[in-house]
Amino acid sequence: MLSDSQRAPSPEIELIVSKIEAENVRYNSNERRSAHRTPLARPVTVHCAQTGEAISVFSQNISGSGISLVSQKEFKEGQMAVLQIHSLEGTHYNLLSVCRWCRSYGKGWFISGWMFQAVARR
């Protein structure tokens, strides 16, 4: 990635960024799904079906079948929620979704995979 942009301010920073990029490649290679994913960093609100709680998170990537979210809340496998995905054009997209998996993503952070079920009318 650094080769496509300006050089890092120092070799030490360049090394750190290279390690982060390599870590990301290793982490993503553990994924078993074959659907093409598009990187997508957007605000998403998770409206939990059981509790009515609304939780602000960020997306990591999206495919035709689902989305991965980064949050400070751990979600439970099988949990249902309406995901309100922010649109840059002002409209929000509401999708009924089920949490397929959730795991630690560093101290106090979690990453979760959600499968889309239906368009939700809110």
Side-chain angles (χ1 to χ4, degrees), residues 15 19 35 48 56-58 68 76 87-89 91-92 99 111 115 118:
L15 179 62
K19 286 181 179 181
C48 298
S56 296
V57 304
F58 278 92
S68 67
K76 302 294 181 209
S87 168
L88 299 177
E89 297 176 349
T91 304
H92 299 306
C99 181
I111 187 166
M115 181 180 282

Side-chain angles (χ1 to χ4, degrees), residues 21-69:
E21 289 173 338
E23 178 183 84
N24 197 49
V25 167
R26 283 191 308 277
Y27 188 84
N28 287 335
S29 70
N30 290 333
E31 289 289 329
R32 292 183 294 277
R33 77 179 156 158
S34 59
H36 172 74
R37 291 168 281 180
T38 302
L40 180 73
R42 291 275 175 89
V44 175
T45 303
V46 179
H47 296 275
C48 298
Q50 293 149 331
T51 65
E53 187 178 15
I55 302 154
S56 296
V57 304
F58 278 92
S59 62
Q60 181 190 44
N61 59 51
I62 192 167
S63 73
S65 59
I67 192 168
S68 67
L69 302 177

Side-chain angles (χ1 to χ4, degrees), residues 42-122:
R42 291 275 175 89
V44 175
T45 303
V46 179
H47 296 275
C48 298
Q50 293 149 331
T51 65
E53 187 178 15
I55 302 154
S56 296
V57 304
F58 278 92
S59 62
Q60 181 190 44
N61 59 51
I62 192 167
S63 73
S65 59
I67 192 168
S68 67
L69 302 177
V70 177
S71 64
Q72 290 185 299
K73 176 174 176 54
E74 183 174 13
F75 294 103
K76 302 294 181 209
E77 186 176 315
Q79 181 175 350
M80 296 294 295
V82 172
L83 305 182
Q84 185 177 60
I85 304 169
H86 174 75
S87 168
L88 299 177
E89 297 176 349
T91 304
H92 299 306
Y93 303 102
N94 297 299
L95 300 170
L96 178 64
S97 305
V98 62
C99 181
R100 301 288 297 191
W101 55 267
C102 185
R103 62 181 177 252
S104 177
Y105 201 54
K107 186 177 179 180
W109 290 93
F110 298 91
I111 187 166
S112 55
W114 294 77
M115 181 180 282
F116 301 138
Q117 302 295 299
V119 174
R121 308 289 179 214
R122 289 191 61 93

